[in-house]
Amino acid sequence: MEIKYCWRCKMEVPMLNKEEFAVAYKLYGKGFKNLKKDRQERFKELLEYYNNLTGFGETEPNSIMHHSLEQIGPDCEKCGKPYRTPKAKLCVACGNKRRRIG
Ligand SMILES: [Zn+2]
Ligand SMILES: [Zn+2]
């Protein structure tokens, strides 16, 4: 887990690494099979996992599904915000052109 700026949430959030995200993803799938009507109840396991891991206090299961370090790029050399995608060539925050990819 690492704290990174999220372009969708427009704030810094805890992003999960590959292993952590794999667990979260499984729990998310489990939530869909849960027949309880209350959304928070259905995704309780996922929210608990994420919040125990991060100490954050997330209430929206869908947000967790894009808080994955694998879905964003590395930090921009200029401004320090992450590139929006792993393959982005341009930093949306400061316009910096990425030197090389990978
Ligand atoms: Zn987000
Ligand atoms: Zn930048």
Side-chain angles (χ1 to χ4, degrees):
M1 189 270 287
E2 266 179 71
I3 304 291
K4 294 273 183 197
Y5 182 83
C6 173
W7 290 104
R8 287 203 228 172
C9 300
K10 297 191 167 57
M11 60 189 257
E12 292 198 334
V13 296
M15 298 249 184
L16 305 179
N17 68 27
K18 201 177 169 187
E19 290 75 28
E20 292 160 346
F21 190 74
V23 178
Y25 191 78
K26 254 190 213 161
L27 295 174
Y28 186 66
K30 224 172 144 185
F32 275 107
K33 290 187 200 123
N34 192 321
L35 296 173
K36 287 193 181 111
K37 277 207 181 113
D38 185 76
R39 209 169 134 77
Q40 297 266 338
E41 246 340 276
R42 289 176 71 180
F43 293 100
K44 200 172 166 224
E45 274 188 76
L46 169 66
L47 293 167
E48 269 180 8
Y49 172 74
Y50 183 81
N51 290 332
N52 283 339
L53 193 72
T54 62
F56 193 59
E58 183 59 69
T59 54
E60 177 49 60
N62 287 339
S63 295
I64 301 173
M65 287 302 101
H66 73 258
H67 290 162
S68 152
L69 289 165
E70 287 217 306
Q71 290 175 30
I72 58 165
D75 293 341
C76 168
E77 300 84 1
K78 217 171 167 185
C79 71
K81 282 190 178 164
Y83 287 98
R84 225 202 281 230
T85 69
K87 286 183 176 170
K89 293 189 177 84
L90 201 75
C91 173
V92 259
C94 72
N96 182 44
K97 275 194 193 131
R98 201 163 154 192
R99 263 173 238 132
R100 60 186 174 86
I101 300 216

